[in-house]
Amino acid sequence: QKEVEQNSGPLSVPEGAIASLNCTYSDRGSQSFFWYRQYSGKSPELIMSIYSNGDKEDGRFTAQLNKASQYVSLLIRDSQPSDSATYLCAGSGGYNKLIFGAGTRLAVHP
Amino acid sequence: EPEVTQTPSHQVTQMGQEVILRCVPISNHLYFYWYRQILGQKVEFLVSFYNNEISEKSEIFDDQFSVERPDGSNFTLKIRSTKLEDSAMYFCASSVLDRAQYFGPGTRLTVT
């Protein structure tokens, strides 16, 4: 059974701080990983994709992938209250299907 | 910016009835998907569709489910005889080749 595991949180950080979200996956065959943001009652919104080991930066977001450790992370710098949402980690699980983790709830307080 | 659209936003149906959920993927995308999310649970893969045929389906996607691309723009999910446990948010997604998938706003299906 291919699994993606996330700490459900909530992760609470003060405004302006760095939020660190982590994810592990069981399928060594997974090649692509994605972070989605989901506000309550809304659909997943793509934030970052990462396909190779190392870091990938996009604005305030940095995704990190370590295939040897089967570990993916997302850093959010200068966190804002509008970043408060559930962050979903997803890995490719076969012929283009995504396997999602349960999500980590992030709360950024002023 | 192109986006995936879905209709209706909310569908209420009685157990045993057929429902069709509709999606318009992003126009230059080649892969199409359906996922569902039961309230408070993970997003779950249902089916992927490429080149007018199913490329992969999950255990959830049994004989009660079917997908179709009836024309050049629409992608539909049909549930033939709905059950109470089919109540969920259904998300359509699309992608270019094997890259990032973009999700539509979802259809909330309520089976009574």
Side-chain angles (χ1 to χ4, degrees):
Chain A
Q1 182 84 346
K2 299 172 183 175
E3 297 279 349
V4 174
E5 300 288 342
Q6 296 182 254
N7 187 324
S8 63
L11 174 65
S12 182
V13 301
E15 184 174 355
I18 295 175
S20 177
L21 304 160
N22 305 311
C23 167
T24 59
Y25 60 94
S26 63
D27 181 13
R28 286 196 173 273
S30 293
Q31 296 296 316
S32 308
F33 298 89
F34 308 91
W35 284 98
Y36 287 84
R37 177 173 62 198
Q38 187 175 33
Y39 293 111
S40 181
K42 302 295 186 182
S43 63
E45 175 193 4
L46 181 68
I47 298 175
M48 293 283 288
S49 56
I50 188 164
Y51 306 105
S52 54
N53 279 329
D55 296 359
K56 179 182 177 183
E57 187 174 320
D58 184 1
R60 295 187 296 114
F61 300 96
T62 299
Q64 299 172 315
L65 173 59
N66 183 326
K67 290 187 178 181
S69 301
Q70 296 176 248
Y71 176 87
V72 193
S73 67
L74 179 71
L75 298 178
I76 306 174
R77 287 181 298 282
D78 188 25
S79 297
Q80 301 298 308
S82 58
D83 294 326
S84 298
T86 297
Y87 289 79
L88 308 178
C89 174
S92 60
Y95 201 69
N96 292 317
K97 76 178 185 186
L98 294 180
I99 296 175
F100 281 86
T104 298
R105 194 154 48 92
L106 173 66
V108 181
H109 52 86
Chain B
E1 186 175 317
E3 56 185 25
V4 177
T5 59
Q6 291 186 242
T7 53
S9 57
H10 190 191
Q11 175 88 49
V12 181
T13 189
Q14 289 190 327
M15 197 166 47
Q17 295 297 303
E18 175 183 287
V19 294
I20 297 176
L21 310 183
R22 293 183 166 80
C23 168
V24 178
I26 295 172
S27 62
N28 64 330
H29 286 188
L30 301 177
Y31 290 83
F32 315 118
Y33 315 85
W34 284 100
Y35 291 82
R36 80 172 186 190
Q37 188 176 31
I38 295 170
L39 187 64
Q41 297 188 21
K42 292 182 183 183
V43 176
E44 300 175 288
F45 168 79
L46 292 178
V47 65
S48 58
F49 191 87
Y50 170 71
N51 200 25
N52 282 319
E53 60 182 24
I54 290 173
S55 47
E56 189 164 0
K57 59 183 181 179
S58 72
E59 292 177 354
I60 302 167
F61 195 88
D62 62 19
D63 291 345
Q64 294 300 310
F65 291 86
S66 62
V67 290
E68 191 178 30
R69 187 154 163 84
D71 53 43
S73 59
N74 290 283
F75 180 51
T76 62
L77 174 69
K78 182 192 291 186
I79 309 175
R80 288 189 183 80
S81 178
T82 50
K83 307 181 184 70
L84 293 176
E85 54 265 37
D86 293 328
S87 294
M89 281 289 287
Y90 287 80
F91 297 113
C92 175
S94 67
S95 69
V96 178
L97 301 179
D98 59 348
R99 292 309 190 197
Q101 297 180 23
Y102 293 86
F103 283 68
T107 293
R108 179 173 299 282
L109 177 64
T110 301
V111 182
T112 62

